[in-house]
Amino acid sequence: MMRKTLVLLFGGQSTEHEVSCRSVLTIKRAVNQEKYKVLCIGITKSGEWIPVEKEEAIEDGSWKESAERAMILPDAKLSSVLFLGKNGESHLEKIDVVFPVLHGKDGEDGTIQGLLEIARIPYVGCGVLSSAISMDKVYTKMAVEKPLAKIGVRQAKYISFVRSQWENQEKIISKVEAALSYPVFVKPSNAGSSCGVSKAKDREALKMAVENALSVDRRVLVEESITGRELECAVFSGKEGQVESSSVGEILAAAEFYDYDAKYNNPDSKTELHPDIFGEIEEKIRKAAETVFLAVDGFSLSRVDFFLSGEEVIFNEINTMPGFTSISMYPMLFKKKGYSIEELVEKLLESAFHRP
C-alpha cells in the first residue's frame, strides 16, 4: 500500500504558538507511519514557513533558526508543498492531506482552511465558515442563540463593541453598567486560550480590561460573570450531519478563572474526567455540544465549553482546533470513551477525505 503524504502544520502567528508546538508532537507520534509519510512544517511567530524533520528541533525550538522554507501552494492542479533549500535549490512534493495543528488566529479562524480549499487539499478540522464563526465569540453567540434556546440552554448575557466605539468610553461604560452587574468578564472577540481576557470588578478595572482586550482584537465582548463549574465536551464528525460526542469533563482551575497561565503553566490546575454530575445534566451538556457544533456548521472536531450553575447549563464557547497536549481535554475525553490517541488521530485524518 502506497503511503499518503501528510503535512502537519504547527506553530503559527497567534498567542497560542507554544501550545501548538506541543500539540503537534502528540499528533505526530500517534500517526500510523505505515499509512502516512509525515512532513512537518512550522510557522514562526513572524510568519516564516520552515520544514522540520526532527522532533527534538520542535521540543527545543531550534527549528526556527533554519534558512530552509516550505510553503503550501494555492495551485489546485499541483496540490503541493514548495521546498526551498538554504542554497536556493527547490522542489515540489505532492500532498494528500493536511492536519493544521494551529490554535488561534491565522490558523483556527478560517484563513489556513481557505488556502487549503483553494489548493483542493483535504484537511482535518472545521471548514472556512465554521472556523471563522467559532473563532469570533460575538458571531458564535449570534449563531447558537436560537438553537440552544430550543433545548433550554442559555449563554452569558453580553454586549459587544468595536475599537472606534470605545472613543466614547462613557457611553460604552454606561451601556455595560445598565445591562450587566459587576464583576464582568472582558474578552477580545477573536482570541484563543483566554488570551486578553480580564475580570473587571469596577469601572476603573473595566477601562483597563477593555484596553487589554483591544490590544488583542478590534472587537470586544463584555459578559456577565457566571459562578459555576467549568465543564467541557468533545465532539467528532466524520460524516456530514452525524456528530459523536464524548462524556463530559470538568476543569478545576488553580486561578480565579481558567486563563492561559492557569491552563498551561499552573501545575495546580487539573482536569477531572469523572465529574460528579447527574446523568441528565451530562446528557443535556452532550446534546448542547452537538447542537452548538451543528449550528456553526462544524465538521471533524471541536471542543465545546459550558458552565454549570446549580442545575442550569450555560454555553461558554467552542474551540474548533482544541489542544492536543498531554493535559488537553479533547484527546482525554475520547480516550475515556475507548479511543486511543492513535485511533483518534486516524479517525480525524479519515474525516478529511469525507468533507461535505
Side-chain angles (χ1 to χ4, degrees), residues 31-91:
V31 172
N32 185 338
Q33 302 290 331
E34 294 182 358
K35 293 184 66 174
Y36 297 96
K37 173 186 176 182
V38 181
L39 304 175
C40 290
I41 299 177
I43 303 173
T44 68
K45 288 185 178 181
S46 57
E48 301 157 304
W49 289 44
I50 299 173
V52 186
E53 292 185 6
K54 297 181 179 180
E55 291 182 10
E56 293 81 4
I58 301 175
E59 291 174 330
D60 63 22
S62 60
W63 64 272
K64 300 170 188 176
E65 301 167 9
S66 173
E68 297 181 351
R69 294 292 182 268
M71 57 208 76
I72 295 174
L73 300 178
D75 190 309
K77 292 295 183 182
L78 294 175
S79 298
S80 299
V81 171
L82 173 63
F83 290 92
L84 300 176
K86 57 185 177 182
N87 296 319
E89 68 276 12
S90 66
H91 71 277

Side-chain angles (χ1 to χ4, degrees), residues 301-313:
L301 79 160
S302 286
R303 193 196 71 237
V304 191
D305 303 346
F306 299 89
F307 294 111
L308 180 63
S309 181
E311 294 188 7
E312 183 182 30
V313 175

Side-chain angles (χ1 to χ4, degrees), residues 16 28 79 111 145 193 212 220 236 249 256 287 302:
E16 296 176 85
K28 182 178 185 296
S79 298
T111 49
E145 180 76 36
S193 277
N212 183 38
V220 173
F236 168 79
E256 189 172 11
K287 184 176 180 180
S302 286

Side-chain angles (χ1 to χ4, degrees), residues 14 27 126 130 139 159 184 195 236 294:
S14 83
I27 292 169
C126 288
S130 54
Y139 283 100
I159 71 158
V184 294
C195 294
F236 168 79
L294 292 172

Side-chain angles (χ1 to χ4, degrees), residues 99-157:
F99 196 143
V101 193
L102 297 166
H103 310 308
K105 279 188 175 182
D106 299 321
E108 198 177 347
D109 56 2
T111 49
I112 290 293
Q113 292 76 13
L115 170 61
L116 297 173
E117 293 276 358
I118 291 171
R120 300 293 188 268
I121 300 172
Y123 61 93
V124 175
C126 288
V128 176
L129 177 64
S130 54
S131 297
I133 290 174
S134 300
M135 186 66 195
D136 191 292
K137 295 177 177 66
V138 173
Y139 283 100
T140 298
K141 285 180 172 292
M142 294 178 182
V144 305
E145 180 76 36
K146 290 183 179 179
L148 283 178
K150 290 180 180 178
I151 61 170
V153 174
R154 76 173 182 95
Q155 52 189 346
K157 299 174 185 175

Side-chain angles (χ1 to χ4, degrees), residues 8 36 47-48 56 83 98 105 111 153 170 174 179-180 185 200 210 215 219-220 229 238 270 292-293 303 333:
L8 299 180
Y36 297 96
E48 301 157 304
E56 293 81 4
F83 290 92
V98 172
K105 279 188 175 182
T111 49
V153 174
E170 289 305 312
S174 296
L180 309 170
F185 277 101
V210 170
S215 71
R219 187 182 299 109
V220 173
R229 300 165 67 179
K270 300 184 185 304
V292 168
F293 187 68
R303 193 196 71 237
L333 285 173

